[in-house]
């Protein structure tokens, strides 16, 4: 898998990663992690954690300058000193999370070798795939990743590559024994992986179970009720984009939400992820309040005939902060867990694990 796949879910805790982990631990697949992918992800995580550390230390510094009781100020100074002393341990731990996970599931880490480095740089000089042009420095990491895959393919045949980057996938477009997928969900949901998951969990009647879940929902609406009550907390503080939003990046951040409406569940695309877990795609409509920033001159130049002129507050010399109401479509995946040791097709409610409903993923937020 390329770095994008790990970056999309750094905690590696959704249904797709859980399924990958289950298959790997069962010895039904082996995850290979090239050096460049590992280090690219580790350094990205280190940078994210480092920014939070800087903010935390800065906040403690600011508080320690306030008019507070002496004992409180002493504790703040002590907390700041302790956090500064632990900074490197925190950053190292952030990097170690991925390698610890790899060890736990039996993944194989592959160091960079001279042959890969030579071929990757030769591709850089000649503009060979995945590079689109000669000496394009931005594509150097992808070139190393491609060479790692080629080396793995010499030993493992066929091989499956999950890459969010089009250039990496396109490099193997003509290879019949290198299968490429844009997302981990695309890989997990292919037929033979679903079959392996069924074998791991000894469940042979997935279609029958999906039909039973659909029947249960038609009679009770419990999944829709759960989505209605919990979708808000899953989308609050998430950012969505649309060309109509007059922010510099055409983005707005959700800060509050109303009632979910028009909830749809797509049982035809339901998938099984092992351990009795089923994922069901959903789509719903919801009204939210969201914040964005608008350049002051852009605000003053707004069309006075505009249907709704948003309320603004002063942010700084150049920008207003805007809070505006938006109607959104939200898509994602809701999961439900069945007790594999007590499956009753006629009374499925008795087989559903209590409190197992979960909004596993919000995949898309767009304006209605």
């Amino acid at each position: 898998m390329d770095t994008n796949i790990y970056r999309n879910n750094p905690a590696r805790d959704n249904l797709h990663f859980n399924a990958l982990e289950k298959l790997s631990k069962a010895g039904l697949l082996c995850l290979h992690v090239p050096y460049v992918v590992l280090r690219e992800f580790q350094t990205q995580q280190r940078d994210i954690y480092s920014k939070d550390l800087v903010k935390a230390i800065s906040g403690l510094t600011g508080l320690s300058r306030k008019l507070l009781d002496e004992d409180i100020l002493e504790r703040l100074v002590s907390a700041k000193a302790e956090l500064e002393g632990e900074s490197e341990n925190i950053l190292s731990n952030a990097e170690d999370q991925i390698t610890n996970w790899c060890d736990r599931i039996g993944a194989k880490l592959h160091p960079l070798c001279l042959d890969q480095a030579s071929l990757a740089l030769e591709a850089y000089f000649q503009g060979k795939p995945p590079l689109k042009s000669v000496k394009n420095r931005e594509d150097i990491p992808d070139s190393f990743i491609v060479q790692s895959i080629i080396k793995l393919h010499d030993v493992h045949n066929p091989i499956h590559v999950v890459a969010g980057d089009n250039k990496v996938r396109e490099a193997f477009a003509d290879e019949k024994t290198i299968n490429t997928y844009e997302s981990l969900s695309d890989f997990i949901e292919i037929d033979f992986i679903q079959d392996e998951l069924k074998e791991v969990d000894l469940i042979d009647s997935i279609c029958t179970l999906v039909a039973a879940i659909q029947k249960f929902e038609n009679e009770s609406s419990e999944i829709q009720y759960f989505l209605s009550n919990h979708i808000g907390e899953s989308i609050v503080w998430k950012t969505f984009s649309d060309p109509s939003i007059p922010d510099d990046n055409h983005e707005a951040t959700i800060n509050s939400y109303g009632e979910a409406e028009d909830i749809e569940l797509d049982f035809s695309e339901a998938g099984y992820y092992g351990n009795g877990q089923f994922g069901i795609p959903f789509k719903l409509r919801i009204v939210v309040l969201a914040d964005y920033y608008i350049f002051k001159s852009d605000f003053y130049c707004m069309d006075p005939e505009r249907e709704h002129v948003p309320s603004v507050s002063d942010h700084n010399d150049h920008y207003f902060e805007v809070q505006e109401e938006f109607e959104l479509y939200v898509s994602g995946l809701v999961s439900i867990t069945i007790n594999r040791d007590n499956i009753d097709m006629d009374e499925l409610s008795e087989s559903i694990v209590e409190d197992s409903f979960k909004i596993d993923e919000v995949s898309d937020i767009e304006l209605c």
Side-chain angles (χ1 to χ4, degrees), residues 1 12 14-32 101-102 104-108 160 162 181 184-203 272-275 277:
M1 300 190 296
R12 300 171 298 282
N14 65 10
L15 287 176
H16 308 122
F17 270 102
N18 289 343
L20 178 73
E21 184 171 333
K22 182 178 295 294
L23 291 167
S24 185
K25 286 181 175 179
L28 296 172
L29 64 76
C30 181
L31 175 65
H32 298 274
W101 176 76
C102 288
R104 191 171 71 249
I105 71 169
K108 293 184 179 179
H160 301 270
V162 184
Y181 312 85
L184 183 56
S185 62
D186 288 345
F187 171 65
I188 293 297
E189 289 166 10
I190 61 177
D191 289 344
F192 87 87
I193 290 296
Q194 289 289 306
D195 288 341
E196 294 289 4
L197 285 168
K198 293 174 192 177
E199 289 183 15
V200 171
D201 291 313
L202 303 177
I203 293 180
Y272 179 63
Y273 297 91
N275 248 353
Q277 287 184 302

Side-chain angles (χ1 to χ4, degrees), residues 19-80:
L20 178 73
E21 184 171 333
K22 182 178 295 294
L23 291 167
S24 185
K25 286 181 175 179
L28 296 172
L29 64 76
C30 181
L31 175 65
H32 298 274
V33 185
Y35 170 83
V36 171
V37 170
L38 176 68
R39 290 300 296 144
E40 193 170 32
F41 178 72
Q42 285 180 318
T43 52
Q44 288 169 355
Q45 290 300 104
R46 188 181 184 93
D47 184 54
I48 291 169
Y49 280 61
S50 179
K51 288 176 181 176
D52 285 340
L53 272 172
V54 170
K55 290 178 184 176
I57 292 171
S58 175
L60 288 170
T61 301
L63 279 173
S64 66
R65 293 172 181 158
K66 306 298 183 186
L67 294 174
L68 296 167
D69 290 345
E70 195 64 34
D71 61 329
I72 295 176
L73 289 173
E74 287 179 4
R75 291 201 299 272
L76 287 172
V77 171
S78 176
K80 175 176 175 275

Side-chain angles (χ1 to χ4, degrees), residues 143 164 266 306:
S143 186
D266 188 358
R306 191 173 188 253

Side-chain angles (χ1 to χ4, degrees), residues 25-221:
K25 286 181 175 179
L28 296 172
L29 64 76
C30 181
L31 175 65
H32 298 274
V33 185
Y35 170 83
V36 171
V37 170
L38 176 68
R39 290 300 296 144
E40 193 170 32
F41 178 72
Q42 285 180 318
T43 52
Q44 288 169 355
Q45 290 300 104
R46 188 181 184 93
D47 184 54
I48 291 169
Y49 280 61
S50 179
K51 288 176 181 176
D52 285 340
L53 272 172
V54 170
K55 290 178 184 176
I57 292 171
S58 175
L60 288 170
T61 301
L63 279 173
S64 66
R65 293 172 181 158
K66 306 298 183 186
L67 294 174
L68 296 167
D69 290 345
E70 195 64 34
D71 61 329
I72 295 176
L73 289 173
E74 287 179 4
R75 291 201 299 272
L76 287 172
V77 171
S78 176
K80 175 176 175 275
E82 185 176 356
L83 187 57
E84 288 174 331
E86 287 295 318
S87 291
E88 185 54 39
N89 287 337
I90 292 171
L91 296 176
S92 296
N93 187 260
E95 290 192 17
D96 291 342
Q97 293 298 315
I98 181 70
T99 52
N100 293 340
W101 176 76
C102 288
D103 287 342
R104 191 171 71 249
I105 71 169
K108 293 184 179 179
L109 307 182
H110 294 270
L112 192 63
C113 69
L114 181 60
D115 286 346
Q116 291 175 45
S118 298
L119 291 169
L121 289 175
E122 193 61 30
Y124 163 73
F125 288 120
Q126 296 188 29
K128 293 181 178 179
L131 282 82
K132 297 294 187 179
S133 59
V134 173
K135 298 183 180 180
N136 186 345
R137 295 188 180 185
E138 291 184 0
D139 290 341
I140 288 178
D142 290 335
S143 186
F144 277 92
I145 291 171
V146 165
Q147 293 304 322
S148 298
I149 293 168
I150 292 172
K151 184 175 179 63
L152 282 167
H153 184 242
D154 291 339
V155 180
H156 304 281
N157 191 340
I159 193 170
H160 301 270
V161 176
V162 184
D165 195 312
N166 288 332
K167 296 189 294 296
V168 174
R169 298 198 307 277
E170 289 171 0
F172 304 108
D174 297 327
E175 293 286 345
K176 297 189 182 302
T177 53
I178 299 180
N179 305 295
T180 62
Y181 312 85
E182 185 175 357
S183 68
L184 183 56
S185 62
D186 288 345
F187 171 65
I188 293 297
E189 289 166 10
I190 61 177
D191 289 344
F192 87 87
I193 290 296
Q194 289 289 306
D195 288 341
E196 294 289 4
L197 285 168
K198 293 174 192 177
E199 289 183 15
V200 171
D201 291 313
L202 303 177
I203 293 180
D204 298 319
S205 53
I206 302 304
C207 292
T208 305
L209 274 167
V210 170
I213 294 171
Q214 185 171 10
K215 180 175 179 287
F216 159 78
E217 174 61 16
N218 289 341
E219 294 173 351
S220 68
S221 299

Side-chain angles (χ1 to χ4, degrees), residues 346-360:
D346 296 322
E347 289 292 334
L348 194 68
S349 60
E350 300 296 322
S351 305
I352 295 173
V353 176
E354 187 176 359
D355 297 327
S356 69
F357 290 4
K358 177 185 175 184
I359 298 175
D360 190 75

Side-chain angles (χ1 to χ4, degrees), residues 243-268:
S244 66
I245 300 172
D247 174 85
D248 285 352
N249 298 313
H250 303 296
E251 294 179 341
T253 302
I254 299 167
N255 65 57
S256 59
Y257 47 86
E259 292 278 336
E261 299 179 344
D262 299 336
I263 300 172
E264 299 176 7
L265 297 166
D266 188 358
F267 286 95
S268 68

